[in-house]
Amino acid sequence: MAAYGLYTHIASNKFRSMLLLGGLFLLVYVMVFAGALLAEVALNSNRPFDDYLTLAAHDLVKAFPFATIGAAAWIVIAYFFHQNIIDAVTGGHDVTRQEQPRLYNLLENLCISRGIPMPKLKIVDSPALNAFATGLDRSQYAISVTTGLMNALNDREMEAVLGHELTHIRNGDVQLLVIAVVIAGVIGFFAELFFRIFFNSNWSFGGGSRSSSSSSDGDKKGGSAFAIVLLAIALIGLAWGLSLVVRFALSRSRELLADAGSVELTKDPDAMISALRKIEGRGELPGATSAVMEMCIDNPREGFADLFATHPSVDSRVKALVKYAGGRDPGPLPLPGSGAEAGDGGGPSADSSPDTRPEAPHAGPWGSSPQPAPSPAGPIPGPWGRR
């Protein structure tokens, strides 16, 4: 039986998922230690530097079981309710075969062809052109498609997009990204909490009034408290930054592999290329968080100098499909339906896809002449008739 995708990639994703879970707890403990440092300074700002570290370490040991239980509870909440949260943000809802026969049949045929369990199908009422997969296990897997994408793509292109999302599910990319979002959520929550407490509190280093004979010693202790606060802020910032780096590093390679997996499923690289060209720059979901956009087939949001872009550019994805799958690139495509009124469903895409059928001779705007610009054989007509 033919393998779906790369076994090594699937195994790698499972291994990285376990590392991410370990990283989640490690970063949470770093955050707890930083919080303990701030708490010790708030209680007494006249201790030596080493004393703060020792006391914070003792606090971490005491808080260890509570931090572990809290992080585990966060994962459990994400496991059971992440789909509800995503649906609330995007407005996605389940659909049946009776409601969306075209989309349902395309997805079902792909699943049957490879013996893949059928995920749930969801529709997002948005003019954006995008799709994404969610879920942490077989009972939760779902593929969401926007109404804008359904209207813009023909059956071949839509099948390619569904194959792309199925590859994410099969390769374990969905679970990996959800875990990364959980990590960033935990760290972001505690980082914001600590920073709010810090900036909304009146911190003083060195205590109140002192005699002149002990002012030098007090200044040293006050300096230690200030250094501890800087260390705590640095640890919080480092943990928050690492959690973001994990999220930013996940998407790029997985999108290229999902494109390749779609071609493996459909045997139609041109359809995948055409779909990407239509989606290009038109996938912004209004109101969607950055975590949701990272799950989408295309994320038009870009970071500083493209360093924090979660997806490779459409150009690079198309070039890879042309080079390795033998596809043809039609170049950037106009916005579907922008030039003429299109019907619903597959109507607009039948005209816009270059690979659907051979191009017929163009008709004139007022008739069905087979020649768009006939050359006159007789005398050249003037503006008021033939001379």
Side-chain angles (χ1 to χ4, degrees):
M1 182 177 177
Y4 187 103
L6 301 174
Y7 281 123
T8 53
H9 176 64
I10 297 172
S12 174
N13 267 352
K14 292 179 179 178
F15 179 69
R16 283 187 294 170
S17 296
M18 299 305 297
L19 289 181
L20 283 173
L21 283 173
L24 166 64
F25 289 97
L26 178 61
L27 292 176
V28 167
Y29 299 143
V30 171
M31 297 288 291
V32 172
F33 181 72
L37 290 174
L38 293 177
E40 291 298 338
V41 172
L43 292 173
N44 188 340
S45 60
N46 290 315
R47 291 193 176 102
F49 186 87
D50 291 343
D51 287 356
Y52 286 119
L53 295 179
T54 302
L55 290 170
H58 287 308
D59 293 340
L60 175 61
V61 172
K62 293 178 182 178
F64 187 89
F66 300 102
T68 303
I69 293 172
W74 195 292
I75 293 175
V76 171
I77 291 172
Y79 179 84
F80 287 105
F81 299 109
H82 77 278
Q83 185 63 62
N84 294 335
I85 296 171
I86 292 172
D87 289 344
V89 170
T90 62
H93 58 276
D94 294 351
V95 293
T96 62
R97 186 196 305 273
Q98 290 71 26
E99 294 171 318
Q100 290 292 339
R102 173 199 174 211
L103 199 62
Y104 197 98
N105 290 337
L106 288 172
L107 180 58
E108 186 179 55
N109 289 340
L110 283 173
C111 293
I112 291 173
S113 69
R114 288 303 179 91
I116 306 169
M118 177 80 172
K120 297 175 184 176
L121 187 60
K122 293 178 178 287
I123 299 297
V124 177
D125 294 321
S126 171
L129 275 59
N130 229 321
F132 56 91
T134 51
L136 287 173
D137 61 30
R138 184 173 295 183
S139 65
Q140 294 182 338
Y141 291 143
I143 294 178
S144 300
V145 179
T146 64
T147 52
L149 189 70
M150 292 171 57
N151 293 330
L153 305 189
N154 63 25
D155 286 355
R156 291 173 52 220
E157 295 160 346
M158 182 59 69
E159 186 180 44
V161 169
L162 293 175
H164 175 102
E165 300 305 332
L166 277 176
T167 302
H168 279 318
I169 292 174
R170 185 65 174 177
N171 286 357
D173 298 327
V174 176
Q175 299 96 314
L176 187 65
L177 190 55
V178 170
I179 292 171
V181 169
V182 170
I183 291 175
V186 171
I187 302 306
F189 173 79
F190 285 108
E192 183 176 356
L193 178 64
F194 288 147
F195 281 124
R196 283 181 182 273
I197 292 174
F198 176 72
F199 288 111
N200 293 333
S201 302
N202 294 322
W203 292 80
S204 60
F205 308 110
S209 60
R210 306 183 199 96
S211 63
S212 58
S213 61
S214 62
S215 61
S216 175
D217 184 59
D219 288 342
K220 290 180 180 179
K221 291 179 179 178
S224 297
F226 183 71
I228 286 294
V229 170
L230 291 181
L231 174 62
I233 293 174
L235 289 175
I236 294 171
L238 177 64
W240 178 76
L242 287 175
S243 69
L244 292 181
V245 167
V246 169
R247 288 173 59 183
F248 292 142
L250 292 178
S251 297
R252 294 187 181 233
S253 62
R254 74 186 184 93
E255 292 302 324
L256 295 171
L257 287 164
D259 291 341
S262 173
V263 173
E264 182 189 0
L265 264 178
T266 64
K267 305 298 187 292
D268 194 350
D270 292 343
M272 188 71 248
I273 292 174
S274 180
L276 288 173
R277 284 302 188 187
K278 288 182 179 179
I279 293 170
E280 185 176 10
R282 298 161 187 154
E284 180 68 29
L285 288 170
T289 63
S290 60
V292 172
M293 292 304 301
E294 288 170 25
M295 298 180 181
C296 293
I297 189 172
D298 182 42
N299 183 4
R301 301 177 185 176
E302 295 181 355
F304 174 75
D306 202 34
L307 292 176
F308 298 110
T310 61
H311 287 54
S313 67
V314 168
D315 280 334
S316 63
R317 293 166 69 176
V318 167
K319 286 178 182 177
L321 290 172
V322 170
K323 181 177 180 180
Y324 298 108
R328 293 171 295 169
D329 181 14
L333 296 176
L335 187 66
S338 61
E341 290 299 326
D344 10 318
S349 55
D351 296 333
S352 54
S353 175
D355 304 313
T356 305
R357 57 177 64 87
E359 287 278 275
H362 296 281
W366 314 116
S368 56
S369 171
Q371 295 182 350
S375 300
I380 301 174
W384 318 114
R386 292 185 181 274
R387 295 185 180 130

